[in-house]
Amino acid sequence: MRYEKGRKQASHQRIIEVASQEFRKRGIAAAGLAGIMEEADLTIGAFYPSFASKAELVSETLTYVLNLQLVKMRQVIEGGGLEAGIRSYLSKEHLANPQDGCPSAALLPEVARQAHGARSAYKDGLLPFIAMLAEQLPEGDSKASARRALALFGLLVGTLQIARAIPDAALAESVLKEGIIAAMDLAVARVSPAAGPTAKTLRKRSKRSNTCK
């Protein structure tokens, strides 16, 4: 029984890891279960003991990959500061490898059309990331920093999406460079506080949402 339980858990994790790459590379709708299971070296029969549906797989995969993104970005920022994080996000490597990168840049339009469970999983994974960005801004844990962190992340995601949509490699690279400049301008500028959640509030909301599940 222990062996079977361990094998099931390993298969469950393997499916999520493969799905996270397939979804980001091909899109949620285009990545079929048969292809995911084949990439995972598992039979389609191994899917349903782990997941009730593809929708459940999408939700769990979003949770997994958003947490992975948070860990990776935190490591980059701890090693080189917020500018290093911005440059890493708007890098040519990230541009060329959506399957290993930010799920927001790869999947946002599709996530918006998913069921409530997947969108809730996205929100719960997004809030800690925004809170982490907010802590790097001049205002620290304040309403102004949380508001600006949301804007900063939106700028990063949009810049990367535009660059990926452009077939001209030189122009796409130029878009990334201009995005870095704009992101740094937004990150270092000091602004007056405005109504809105603080970074601490964002973290509390995320924890509360996860507790209620």
Side-chain angles (χ1 to χ4, degrees):
M1 289 296 292
R2 287 181 180 176
Y3 172 73
E4 289 296 326
K5 183 178 180 180
R7 185 167 67 177
K8 181 179 178 180
Q9 290 175 338
S11 296
H12 185 98
Q13 183 61 28
R14 176 61 179 159
I15 294 168
I16 288 176
E17 290 172 356
V18 171
S20 74
Q21 291 201 320
E22 290 295 296
F23 288 157
R24 284 176 288 174
K25 181 179 180 180
R26 307 180 189 283
I28 294 172
L33 293 181
I36 291 171
M37 297 305 287
E38 183 177 355
E39 284 294 321
D41 291 325
L42 295 167
T43 65
I44 192 68
F47 177 82
Y48 290 102
S50 293
F51 304 94
S53 63
K54 184 178 180 180
E56 184 175 298
L57 172 62
V58 171
S59 295
E60 290 199 34
T61 299
L62 286 172
T63 297
Y64 165 77
V65 76
L66 284 163
N67 182 66
L68 191 63
Q69 181 192 20
L70 174 64
V71 171
K72 287 182 176 179
M73 180 61 87
R74 181 177 285 131
Q75 289 174 342
V76 172
I77 289 175
E78 288 177 351
L82 181 57
E83 181 175 355
I86 289 172
R87 290 186 178 279
S88 174
Y89 191 98
L90 296 180
S91 65
K92 289 190 290 184
E93 181 181 6
H94 195 186
L95 174 70
N97 296 283
Q99 73 278 5
D100 297 318
C102 174
S104 297
L107 298 172
L108 268 186
E110 286 194 276
V111 171
R113 297 182 179 92
Q114 295 298 307
H116 179 76
R119 287 184 287 121
S120 292
Y122 177 78
K123 179 204 70 176
D124 293 342
L126 176 66
L127 294 183
F129 190 89
I130 299 301
M132 185 268 295
L133 286 181
E135 291 169 355
Q136 313 304 315
L137 299 176
E139 298 86 1
D141 187 13
S142 70
K143 293 177 181 179
S145 67
R147 175 168 55 86
R148 189 137 52 108
L150 281 166
L152 174 59
F153 186 62
L155 190 157
L156 293 175
V157 171
T159 298
L160 186 59
Q161 288 178 322
I162 292 170
R164 283 179 176 164
I166 295 173
D168 185 326
L171 180 56
E173 186 175 345
S174 178
V175 169
L176 293 181
K177 290 179 179 178
E178 293 301 323
I180 291 171
I181 294 171
M184 287 305 302
D185 286 345
L186 180 59
V188 301
R190 291 188 176 274
V191 297
S192 59
T198 65
K200 185 181 294 183
T201 300
L202 291 173
R203 290 194 298 273
K204 287 182 178 179
R205 285 181 182 175
S206 177
K207 291 178 181 178
R208 186 163 60 247
S209 297
N210 291 330
T211 301
C212 292
K213 290 181 178 181

